[in-house]
Short mmCIF file of all heavy atoms in Angstrom, two decimals:
data_model
loop_
_atom_site.label_atom_id
_atom_site.label_comp_id
_atom_site.label_asym_id
_atom_site.label_seq_id
_atom_site.Cartn_x
_atom_site.Cartn_y
_atom_site.Cartn_z
N GLY A 41 11.21 -7.54 0.97
CA GLY A 41 12.33 -7.71 1.91
C GLY A 41 13.70 -7.71 1.29
O GLY A 41 14.71 -7.89 1.97
N GLY A 43 15.41 -5.24 0.06
CA GLY A 43 16.23 -4.04 0.37
C GLY A 43 15.92 -2.81 -0.44
O GLY A 43 16.60 -1.81 -0.36
N LYS A 44 14.84 -2.83 -1.23
CA LYS A 44 14.52 -1.71 -2.15
C LYS A 44 14.27 -0.41 -1.39
O LYS A 44 14.89 0.62 -1.70
CB LYS A 44 13.29 -2.03 -2.98
CG LYS A 44 13.38 -3.35 -3.75
CD LYS A 44 12.12 -3.65 -4.55
CE LYS A 44 10.89 -3.85 -3.68
NZ LYS A 44 11.00 -5.04 -2.80
N SER A 45 13.38 -0.44 -0.40
CA SER A 45 13.05 0.80 0.31
C SER A 45 14.28 1.31 1.08
O SER A 45 14.53 2.51 1.17
CB SER A 45 11.91 0.58 1.31
OG SER A 45 10.73 0.23 0.63
N THR A 46 15.03 0.38 1.67
CA THR A 46 16.25 0.76 2.39
C THR A 46 17.21 1.50 1.47
O THR A 46 17.73 2.57 1.82
CB THR A 46 16.94 -0.49 2.99
OG1 THR A 46 16.02 -1.16 3.84
CG2 THR A 46 18.17 -0.13 3.77
N GLN A 90 6.55 4.70 0.63
CA GLN A 90 5.69 3.52 0.51
C GLN A 90 4.45 3.67 1.39
O GLN A 90 3.42 3.08 1.12
CB GLN A 90 6.50 2.29 0.92
CG GLN A 90 5.83 0.97 0.59
CD GLN A 90 6.79 -0.23 0.68
OE1 GLN A 90 7.91 -0.12 1.15
NE2 GLN A 90 6.32 -1.36 0.20
N PHE A 91 4.53 4.45 2.48
CA PHE A 91 3.37 4.64 3.34
C PHE A 91 2.84 6.07 3.31
O PHE A 91 2.24 6.54 4.26
CB PHE A 91 3.68 4.21 4.77
CG PHE A 91 3.87 2.73 4.87
CD1 PHE A 91 5.14 2.17 4.94
CD2 PHE A 91 2.80 1.89 4.86
CE1 PHE A 91 5.34 0.80 5.00
CE2 PHE A 91 2.96 0.51 4.94
CZ PHE A 91 4.24 -0.03 4.99
N ASP A 161 8.61 5.18 -4.05
CA ASP A 161 8.49 3.84 -3.54
C ASP A 161 7.05 3.36 -3.71
O ASP A 161 6.15 3.80 -3.00
CB ASP A 161 8.90 3.83 -2.05
CG ASP A 161 9.24 2.43 -1.55
OD1 ASP A 161 8.83 1.46 -2.18
OD2 ASP A 161 9.93 2.32 -0.51
N GLU A 162 6.87 2.47 -4.69
CA GLU A 162 5.54 1.92 -4.97
C GLU A 162 4.49 2.99 -5.27
O GLU A 162 3.45 3.02 -4.62
CB GLU A 162 5.07 1.08 -3.78
CG GLU A 162 5.78 -0.22 -3.62
CD GLU A 162 5.33 -1.24 -4.64
OE1 GLU A 162 4.37 -0.98 -5.41
OE2 GLU A 162 5.95 -2.32 -4.71
N ILE A 193 10.48 2.32 -7.40
CA ILE A 193 10.33 0.93 -6.93
C ILE A 193 8.89 0.53 -7.24
O ILE A 193 7.95 1.24 -6.93
CB ILE A 193 10.53 0.84 -5.41
CG1 ILE A 193 11.97 1.18 -5.01
CG2 ILE A 193 10.17 -0.56 -4.92
CD1 ILE A 193 12.16 1.27 -3.49
N HIS A 195 6.13 -3.12 -8.12
CA HIS A 195 5.91 -4.52 -8.48
C HIS A 195 5.09 -4.58 -9.75
O HIS A 195 4.63 -5.66 -10.15
CB HIS A 195 5.15 -5.24 -7.35
CG HIS A 195 5.93 -5.31 -6.08
ND1 HIS A 195 7.19 -5.89 -6.00
CD2 HIS A 195 5.67 -4.88 -4.80
CE1 HIS A 195 7.64 -5.81 -4.75
NE2 HIS A 195 6.74 -5.21 -4.01
N SER B 138 9.77 -4.52 6.33
CA SER B 138 9.50 -3.89 5.06
C SER B 138 7.98 -3.73 4.85
O SER B 138 7.17 -4.33 5.58
CB SER B 138 10.08 -4.72 3.91
OG SER B 138 9.27 -5.84 3.66
N GLY B 139 7.61 -2.94 3.82
CA GLY B 139 6.17 -2.72 3.54
C GLY B 139 5.44 -4.01 3.34
O GLY B 139 4.35 -4.26 3.91
N GLY B 140 6.01 -4.89 2.54
CA GLY B 140 5.37 -6.15 2.28
C GLY B 140 5.31 -7.06 3.49
O GLY B 140 4.38 -7.83 3.67
N ALA B 166 1.39 -4.52 -1.75
CA ALA B 166 2.80 -4.14 -1.58
C ALA B 166 3.71 -5.32 -1.86
O ALA B 166 4.89 -5.28 -1.49
CB ALA B 166 3.03 -3.61 -0.17
MG1 MG C 3 9.58 -1.49 0.59
#
Side-chain angles (χ1 to χ4, degrees):
Chain A
K44 306 177 297 296
S45 297
T46 302
Q90 192 165 9
F91 292 101
D161 199 339
E162 288 285 353
I193 295 172
H195 296 303
Chain B
S138 75

